[in-house]
Amino acid sequence: MALTRREMLKLGIAGSAAVALPLQRVVSGAVAQTRIAESSLPAPFTVPFAVPPVITPHRTDATTDYYMLTQKQSTVQILPGINTPVWGYNGIVPGPTIDVQQGRQVLIRQVNKLPDRHPIAGYQPWTSTHLHGSPSLPQFDGYASDITRPGQYKDYRYSNTESARTLWYHDHGVHHTAENAYMGLAAFYRLHDPLEVSLPIPKGNYDIPLMIHDAMFATDGQLIGDDHDHSGIMGDVILVNGRPWPVMQVEQRKYRFRILVGSMSRSYRLKLDSGQMMTVIAGDGGFMPVPQPVSVLRTGMAERYEVIIDFANIPIGQRVVMRNLPRSDSDDNNISYTHTDKVMAFDVVAPSSSSANNEIPAVLDPNNPVMALQPAQAVARRTMKLDRSKGQWTINGTSWADVVASGYKKVMANPKLNDIEIWTIENASGGWFHPLHIHLVDFKILDRNGLPPLPQELGPKDVVYVGENETVRLIMRFGPHLGKYMIHCHNMVHEDHDMMTQFEVGTGGPDPIRAALPKWGSPPAP
Ligand code: C2O
Ligand code: CU
Ligand code: CU
């Protein structure tokens, strides 16, 4: 991989030796890997598209759906003909999709059957599972230091009382989140509610999850997880639902795509080569008040945008390509390779076979309480500065190592239950873009650099893209639970090194580590 000097400077490759962290930090082994030749990669748009399977519960009762997921290593062919060891929930990548109805409780027994060591990095893969998009209790929130070791399991409970939305569950194991997720520990979780059912938007076979992420492969098929001195893991292959640059067959009608950037470090500017708009109907926290058409969708890691694409006017036999606009040196730190400007293709093959639910309603969710929040309601204002110091990424100069060193007592903010606050997130260092995620809450983005948020950001969010030299203001209400919750950059490499801190709602909430301990052994299904 040849980097320009400009790229090397941006990546911070000139300097900054790793800093030893107290506890829980294991230095990755330096195994030499060689990137697979570009000529051995599949040509874009030759691999058929697929969606991850939906898993059915092991059992249900009056209130609860019970699942068991086993985190384990398996060998899959992501690149046709090449074997790649991966870590998946039930051994598949992405993991199985979970569908749940609002108000149904879900219990997931997460069993860690991973090997005792990462094949390249050599650390022990402890895990912690976060359901991203859920206001979970602290002990079920995937608190990074609440680890489950190989040979252990832990039951997670979710109440699913929030509005319909696209969630995802992924690993959050302290200081190894990036490696664990890059190996495949990520999957969709869709929460449905009556409002969603009532909207005439595409459903069923026309409601399609798209997990987009990038990867790089070594000649022996192993994933290459070079993090460029803790700046980011960048792949030369773009995967959608685990398939390289796939091609999907579509009908002449509208489709709803649930776009999730599952990349460790890459952000995207998605655009259709037909020049069509994509109409954003939902953000991280569910439906927008009204739909927002965009021609380019800038989206970073962990953001979810649901978009409707209409193929009605595309002649049968024609192809629409979803592109990723190449980075421009001035506005982002992504590393471009030959085919990272392509994501997937849609081949229009047939007339619409169903005219039901083929609309974009003018109004979606006019009553979301998050979107009703007003600055005058705020009882506190805080600033979070995103920066890098001594080779570590920090928030207001602190890192997760500081939280660990404090015995998990150190907090950045301590709002009372139901307090409304405005947070200014400042990325003045210019070094990188940081998609900042705040656990527990959904927030409304007030402005970016003093200007209105992007059209796709005019809905409830839990991750905000804070670009190079950007300052963003958010407003949110803290609840519904007491306790300690993480704030971090969702570049998982930054998160691990060590751009993560926490806040506490009220006092006396459940202890995120001790309130629900993992157990040893091979459990039966719950
Ligand atoms: Cu999607 Cu704390 O993470
Ligand atoms: Cu989250
Ligand atoms: Cu970051």
Side-chain angles (χ1 to χ4, degrees), residues 130 132-133 437 439:
H130 176 50
H132 185 141
H437 175 41
H439 281 233

Side-chain angles (χ1 to χ4, degrees), residues 130 132 168 170 172 302 437 439 486 488 490 492 495:
H130 176 50
H132 185 141
W168 62 307
H170 65 76
H172 222 302
H437 175 41
H439 281 233
M486 297 174 284
H488 62 87
H490 223 294
M492 289 174 161
E495 172 183 340

Side-chain angles (χ1 to χ4, degrees), residues 130-133 141-142 144 168-172 177 260 301-302 304 437-439 462-463 486-490 492 495 500:
H130 176 50
L131 178 56
H132 185 141
D141 195 44
W168 62 307
Y169 58 98
H170 65 76
D171 191 61
H172 222 302
T177 295
L260 158 67
M301 296 77 80
R304 288 89 71 214
H437 175 41
I438 304 175
H439 281 233
D462 60 33
V463 178
M486 297 174 284
I487 313 164
H488 62 87
C489 176
H490 223 294
M492 289 174 161
E495 172 183 340
M500 184 159 74

Side-chain angles (χ1 to χ4, degrees), residues 2 19 70 84 94 96 112 127 133 207 310 352 369 375 379 501 504 519:
V19 169
T70 304
T84 297
N112 184 343
T127 62
D207 173 357
D310 193 353
S352 177
V379 299
T501 183
E504 181 171 18
K519 300 188 176 75

Side-chain angles (χ1 to χ4, degrees), residues 179-197:
E179 291 117 318
N180 291 353
Y182 187 56
M183 286 294 281
L185 291 171
F188 281 101
Y189 184 109
R190 293 180 296 204
L191 173 57
H192 307 282
D193 73 2
L195 171 70
E196 180 194 19
V197 173

Side-chain angles (χ1 to χ4, degrees), residues 382-463:
R382 300 176 204 276
T383 301
M384 306 276 155
K385 288 199 167 80
L386 311 181
D387 210 350
R388 189 172 206 182
S389 87
K390 303 195 197 83
Q392 295 294 97
W393 297 99
T394 60
I395 301 176
N396 281 354
T398 61
S399 66
W400 194 252
D402 299 322
V403 173
V404 174
S406 75
Y408 306 102
K409 291 194 175 65
K410 187 181 177 72
V411 298
M412 297 292 293
N414 184 210
K416 295 192 297 295
L417 189 64
N418 291 321
D419 271 4
I420 296 169
E421 297 197 356
I422 292 175
W423 288 13
T424 300
I425 319 292
E426 230 180 78
N427 181 15
S429 66
W432 258 80
F433 62 93
H434 304 287
L436 191 91
H437 175 41
I438 304 175
H439 281 233
L440 182 67
V441 298
D442 294 340
F443 51 73
K444 173 165 117 173
I445 302 176
L446 292 172
D447 46 47
R448 166 176 286 110
N449 294 340
L451 298 170
L454 300 172
Q456 66 266 28
E457 295 174 321
L458 300 171
K461 296 280 295 162
D462 60 33
V463 178

Side-chain angles (χ1 to χ4, degrees), residues 101-119:
Q101 305 301 323
Q102 187 184 50
R104 293 275 311 161
Q105 292 172 42
V106 163
L107 182 147
I108 304 180
R109 179 159 289 173
Q110 289 283 359
V111 188
N112 184 343
K113 289 236 174 93
L114 294 170
D116 199 54
R117 297 287 148 190
H118 184 284

Side-chain angles (χ1 to χ4, degrees), residues 192-511:
H192 307 282
D193 73 2
L195 171 70
E196 180 194 19
V197 173
S198 76
L199 293 172
I201 53 176
K203 302 204 169 86
N205 291 335
Y206 306 112
D207 173 357
I208 309 288
L210 303 180
M211 185 188 296
I212 302 172
H213 83 282
D214 55 324
M216 186 177 278
F217 297 83
T219 44
D220 63 357
Q222 302 254 17
L223 290 166
I224 295 180
D226 179 3
D227 78 359
H228 300 100
D229 193 25
H230 305 340
S231 286
I233 295 174
M234 291 276 169
D236 54 348
V237 177
I238 305 293
L239 303 165
V240 181
N241 296 341
R243 308 228 169 172
W245 304 286
V247 55
M248 175 187 183
Q249 302 198 326
V250 296
E251 298 174 5
Q252 288 175 303
R253 75 179 323 278
K254 295 184 176 64
Y255 283 74
R256 170 185 181 185
F257 293 102
R258 299 173 186 255
I259 297 175
L260 158 67
V261 174
S263 285
M264 301 308 104
S265 307
R266 183 182 294 283
S267 68
Y268 298 77
R269 288 185 294 150
L270 303 174
K271 185 172 173 53
L272 301 174
D273 73 343
S274 57
Q276 285 170 274
M277 304 288 254
M278 297 176 274
T279 304
V280 183
I281 58 168
D284 311 328
F287 289 106
M288 328 270 293
V290 295
Q292 299 288 342
V294 297
S295 60
V296 176
L297 184 72
R298 178 175 84 156
T299 177
M301 296 77 80
E303 287 188 280
R304 288 89 71 214
Y305 287 115
E306 299 186 22
V307 305
I308 291 186
I309 301 178
D310 193 353
F311 300 106
N313 296 319
I314 308 288
I316 289 175
Q318 223 161 286
R319 167 173 288 180
V320 175
V321 172
M322 183 185 278
R323 298 196 152 271
N324 174 30
L325 296 184
R327 77 170 225 173
S328 65
D329 266 338
S330 58
D331 73 0
D332 71 53
N333 277 284
N334 294 302
I335 302 176
S336 297
Y337 294 94
T338 307
H339 294 302
T340 49
D341 61 347
K342 303 169 191 70
V343 177
M344 68 178 291
F346 307 94
D347 280 352
V348 181
V349 296
S352 177
S353 58
S354 159
S355 58
N357 297 319
N358 195 20
E359 291 172 43
I360 304 175
V363 174
L364 296 159
D365 182 0
N367 299 319
N368 188 306
V370 175
M371 299 313 292
L373 294 174
Q374 295 303 326
Q377 296 174 280
V379 299
R381 288 174 153 74
R382 300 176 204 276
T383 301
M384 306 276 155
K385 288 199 167 80
L386 311 181
D387 210 350
R388 189 172 206 182
S389 87
K390 303 195 197 83
Q392 295 294 97
W393 297 99
T394 60
I395 301 176
N396 281 354
T398 61
S399 66
W400 194 252
D402 299 322
V403 173
V404 174
S406 75
Y408 306 102
K409 291 194 175 65
K410 187 181 177 72
V411 298
M412 297 292 293
N414 184 210
K416 295 192 297 295
L417 189 64
N418 291 321
D419 271 4
I420 296 169
E421 297 197 356
I422 292 175
W423 288 13
T424 300
I425 319 292
E426 230 180 78
N427 181 15
S429 66
W432 258 80
F433 62 93
H434 304 287
L436 191 91
H437 175 41
I438 304 175
H439 281 233
L440 182 67
V441 298
D442 294 340
F443 51 73
K444 173 165 117 173
I445 302 176
L446 292 172
D447 46 47
R448 166 176 286 110
N449 294 340
L451 298 170
L454 300 172
Q456 66 266 28
E457 295 174 321
L458 300 171
K461 296 280 295 162
D462 60 33
V463 178
V464 61
Y465 195 118
V466 191
E468 292 83 350
N469 297 307
E470 289 184 345
T471 293
V472 181
R473 288 196 316 142
L474 317 172
I475 185 167
M476 64 218 125
R477 179 192 298 272
F478 288 88
H481 304 303
L482 297 176
K484 291 180 183 131
Y485 290 93
M486 297 174 284
I487 313 164
H488 62 87
C489 176
H490 223 294
N491 178 330
M492 289 174 161
V493 173
H494 296 185
E495 172 183 340
D496 285 338
H497 303 281
D498 198 20
M499 201 171 211
M500 184 159 74
T501 183
Q502 65 178 356
F503 63 94
E504 181 171 18
V505 181
T507 51
D511 185 305

